[in-house]
Amino acid sequence: RRGLEHRQCRARRSLAGRAPALAHPKLAVLPQHRHHLCAAATQGDTPRQLAPQPRASLQRRWHLGPCVEASMRTSSICRGPNLSFGKNLLMGHQMAFQKGFPSSMQKTRSCHSDPRIVQLERKGTVAVMTLNSPRTLNAMTEPMGKCVSHIAKELAAAEWLRAVVVTGSGQAFSAGGDLQWLLERHADSPQRNAKIMREFYELFLCVRKLPVPIIAAINGPAIGAGLCFALACDVRIAAPKAKLGMTFVGLGLHPGMGGTHFLPSIVGPQVAARMLLTAEVLSSEQALRDGLVASIDEDCVQAALKMANQMASQAPVASRLCVQTLRMKQELAAICRLLPRRFTDRDLE
């Protein structure tokens, strides 16, 4: 007991001499943590008995968020900013989850489990599919892909369907794949990654199975996999502020989601090589000159709806057959590359 009182006395003197704003009779600095200025409550104190002054001063200086502040209130030890602030921030988020406090990290989880992450709206004989994750710039995740796949299966069985418009909510069409999820792939084996990535691509590219024309209304940036998703559509209409780019090689990645297949067939091999190897991001005007988009419109969604209604007014059987023929021409180029150069009688048999 005498030793504890002695340490408390030395702590008050140390705090009063070094940081007068932190001096408080209920706070003590342990000798082994004095260089960290770790404030700990003495026995019998509750977290509410801690002086609000140190917490307020730390929050003003280090701009601590509400989650970290909540986690500090639930702990008897308030660590100072010199003690691995980044680690404390992560611990604060984890404790906020456990204690039920609101956290900005929970937004990603709730968004992933939200069935409205992809919205579907019917306008006569035209369906409008909207990627609805504006906080992440409509980054393409597995839950979003599952929603797209589910909606595509429903639309494929709809007899009223004549055309589809695909767009994004907020300021972007799609900023590409979820980089955090891609980074986690490094911990897996190449064989499993190949299987997982093929399944992931199929979740979005399944829109190619829809037997009706698909128009992409590129309302904002379409980067990486987001642009690949737009390339899988039959026609693309861009907004003036839209940015389009294949930035895979700049991130140390090989282009995926059919980018090396769709892009050369749309803009030609030379423009495709320039875009893929330089990782450049095109403006809507440059994309129009290169043939990447069909037109530019201030309200690209309304322009896409107008074109979709015009397509829907044509003979449905002839329209569907024409869509299949145009897509088959793209797919045939990929199939021919897989076939041997010469056929033998045995191969024909």
Side-chain angles (χ1 to χ4, degrees):
R1 182 179 181 83
R2 286 196 298 270
L4 178 60
E5 292 176 354
H6 179 65
R7 287 195 297 269
Q8 290 176 354
C9 182
R10 293 178 59 185
R12 294 191 191 100
R13 293 175 184 174
S14 177
L15 286 175
R18 297 185 183 182
L22 294 179
H24 192 271
K26 296 252 181 165
L27 294 178
V29 175
L30 302 180
Q32 60 269 31
H33 298 300
R34 182 178 301 162
H35 61 286
H36 291 307
L37 287 179
C38 296
T42 57
Q43 293 183 359
D45 290 334
T46 61
R48 290 190 179 183
Q49 290 174 324
L50 287 175
Q53 203 170 20
R55 200 159 52 240
S57 61
L58 288 178
Q59 190 171 8
R60 285 195 300 269
R61 181 178 178 183
W62 294 94
H63 307 287
L64 300 181
C67 303
V68 180
E69 186 68 14
S71 65
M72 291 170 66
R73 287 196 298 268
T74 60
S75 175
S76 61
I77 298 180
C78 300
R79 300 189 176 186
N82 295 332
L83 187 60
S84 182
F85 177 72
K87 184 178 180 181
N88 290 344
L89 181 63
L90 180 59
M91 291 176 61
H93 280 298
Q94 293 174 349
M95 294 185 67
F97 279 128
Q98 295 172 1
K99 299 294 182 179
F101 292 101
S103 173
S104 58
M105 293 179 66
Q106 286 179 322
K107 297 176 183 177
T108 304
R109 292 190 175 185
S110 63
C111 182
H112 285 178
S113 60
D114 191 351
R116 295 173 297 178
I117 193 172
V118 180
Q119 294 181 342
L120 179 64
E121 184 180 3
R122 177 179 176 179
K123 294 182 178 294
T125 57
V126 178
V128 180
M129 184 188 304
T130 305
L131 307 181
N132 188 33
S133 183
R135 291 181 179 178
T136 61
L137 298 179
N138 300 317
M140 306 175 78
T141 60
E142 186 177 1
M144 178 184 286
K146 290 181 179 179
C147 290
V148 171
S149 178
H150 179 72
I151 290 175
K153 290 179 181 179
E154 290 184 350
L155 292 177
E159 297 181 357
W160 55 267
L161 187 66
R162 296 292 182 270
V164 176
V165 173
V166 178
T167 187
S169 63
Q171 300 180 354
F173 179 80
S174 177
D178 185 3
L179 291 181
Q180 182 60 38
W181 181 75
L182 292 175
L183 289 174
E184 293 174 357
R185 296 287 91 226
H186 285 281
D188 213 333
S189 64
Q191 293 78 10
R192 278 182 48 83
N193 276 334
K195 180 177 180 296
I196 292 173
M197 295 307 296
R198 279 196 302 267
E199 294 174 351
F200 177 74
Y201 295 155
E202 179 62 25
L203 293 176
F204 290 92
L205 297 182
C206 66
V207 297
R208 299 275 296 180
K209 298 179 181 179
L210 292 174
V212 297
I214 307 174
I215 305 173
I218 306 177
N219 58 306
I223 307 298
L227 179 56
C228 293
F229 186 47
L231 295 179
C233 301
D234 301 297
V235 183
R236 286 153 296 281
I237 299 177
K241 63 179 181 179
K243 302 291 183 181
L244 302 89
M246 289 284 194
T247 58
F248 291 96
V249 295
L251 300 173
L253 300 172
H254 184 280
M257 200 174 281
T260 55
H261 165 64
F262 292 120
L263 191 60
S265 65
I266 295 173
V267 299
Q270 185 169 236
V271 175
R274 187 198 74 203
M275 290 183 61
L276 290 168
L277 298 177
T278 62
E280 63 177 332
V281 177
L282 305 182
S283 63
S284 56
E285 292 81 5
Q286 182 65 38
L288 180 62
R289 289 193 294 268
D290 291 340
L292 193 57
V293 298
S295 62
I296 300 175
D297 198 283
E298 285 289 344
D299 194 343
C300 60
V301 177
Q302 289 300 322
L305 282 172
K306 182 179 179 180
M307 183 181 292
N309 286 321
Q310 187 176 357
M311 293 178 177
S313 64
Q314 309 305 314
V317 176
S319 177
R320 292 191 175 206
L321 290 176
C322 187
V323 167
Q324 292 179 5
T325 303
L326 292 173
R327 293 178 186 171
M328 189 180 299
K329 186 179 185 304
Q330 285 184 322
E331 308 302 334
L332 187 60
I335 295 174
C336 291
R337 288 195 294 266
L338 299 177
L339 294 175
R341 294 184 178 181
R342 296 180 180 179
F343 291 95
T344 63
D345 295 337
R346 183 176 181 181
D347 294 327
L348 295 176
E349 293 175 358

